[in-house]
Amino acid sequence: MTTALRLEKITADNFDAAIGLTVRPDQEHLVAPVLKSLAEAYVHPDTAWPRLILDGDRLVGFLMAFLDIDFAGDGTGTDIRSGLWRLNIAAGEQGRGYGRFAVESVAAEIRRRGGTRLTTTWHPGEDGPEGFYLGLGFRQTGETSGDQTVGELELG
């Protein structure tokens, strides 16, 4: 990892590179492809925050945050949350701090918008990213979202 890490919006100029980004084959069952994420961002433009992760000019990952959603989905608006929706670090690029940078970047955006916690979900199991998230300070809430574990990071 270099000090030239940055996020970039997805544009017509970098779209093909974005949808070409893939995770390791053994992780494909853990995270949706970038193309699906961009389709979801298209249908949820008010809440989705998709970004490419670049190290200099090299594409190393993709993240998508969700901002101010009704997490319970019950229409009451009593459980509004923001967090990390997707994180795809390119095959061969893991273990270099890009995932940590992604989480820190989403945390900074949530703080900028006045939020105090970052929510995410992950597939449980030995092959999943639970250790990564717990190592960053996330705590399990005891909730599930579909078949995924819900975790939160307090943004003090």
Side-chain angles (χ1 to χ4, degrees):
M1 180 173 78
T2 69
T3 57
L5 288 179
R6 60 189 171 89
L7 298 181
E8 187 172 291
K9 289 182 180 181
I10 290 83
T11 66
D13 291 335
N14 61 26
F15 175 78
D16 287 334
I19 65 170
L21 185 136
T22 58
V23 297
R24 293 187 336 233
D26 64 310
Q27 296 174 327
E28 290 174 348
H29 69 286
L30 298 171
V31 65
V34 173
L35 184 60
K36 180 178 180 180
S37 296
L38 292 178
E40 289 171 327
Y42 178 80
V43 298
H44 300 286
D46 295 334
T47 58
W49 194 71
R51 296 293 187 270
L52 297 178
I53 305 165
L54 290 105
D55 188 345
D57 291 329
R58 189 167 49 94
L59 176 61
V60 297
F62 168 84
L63 69 81
M64 186 161 74
F66 60 90
L67 300 167
D68 300 323
I69 66 162
D70 178 1
F71 197 79
D74 60 8
T76 64
T78 59
D79 189 13
I80 303 300
R81 300 189 200 183
S82 297
L84 183 61
W85 189 347
R86 294 273 159 61
L87 178 58
N88 304 57
I89 301 298
E93 299 291 354
Q94 294 178 11
R96 298 180 181 171
Y98 301 130
R100 176 181 292 275
F101 171 78
V103 171
E104 290 170 354
S105 297
V106 171
E109 183 62 20
I110 292 170
R111 276 190 202 101
R112 188 184 74 74
R113 294 168 180 253
T116 60
R117 67 180 172 166
L118 189 163
T119 302
T120 196
T121 62
W122 61 80
H123 286 280
E126 292 181 23
D127 63 342
E130 183 172 282
F132 167 75
Y133 288 114
L134 295 179
L136 291 177
F138 283 85
R139 63 168 183 77
Q140 295 181 30
T141 65
E143 301 166 286
T144 57
S145 178
D147 62 348
Q148 296 188 28
T149 300
V150 177
E152 288 189 340
L153 180 66
E154 293 298 323
L155 305 177

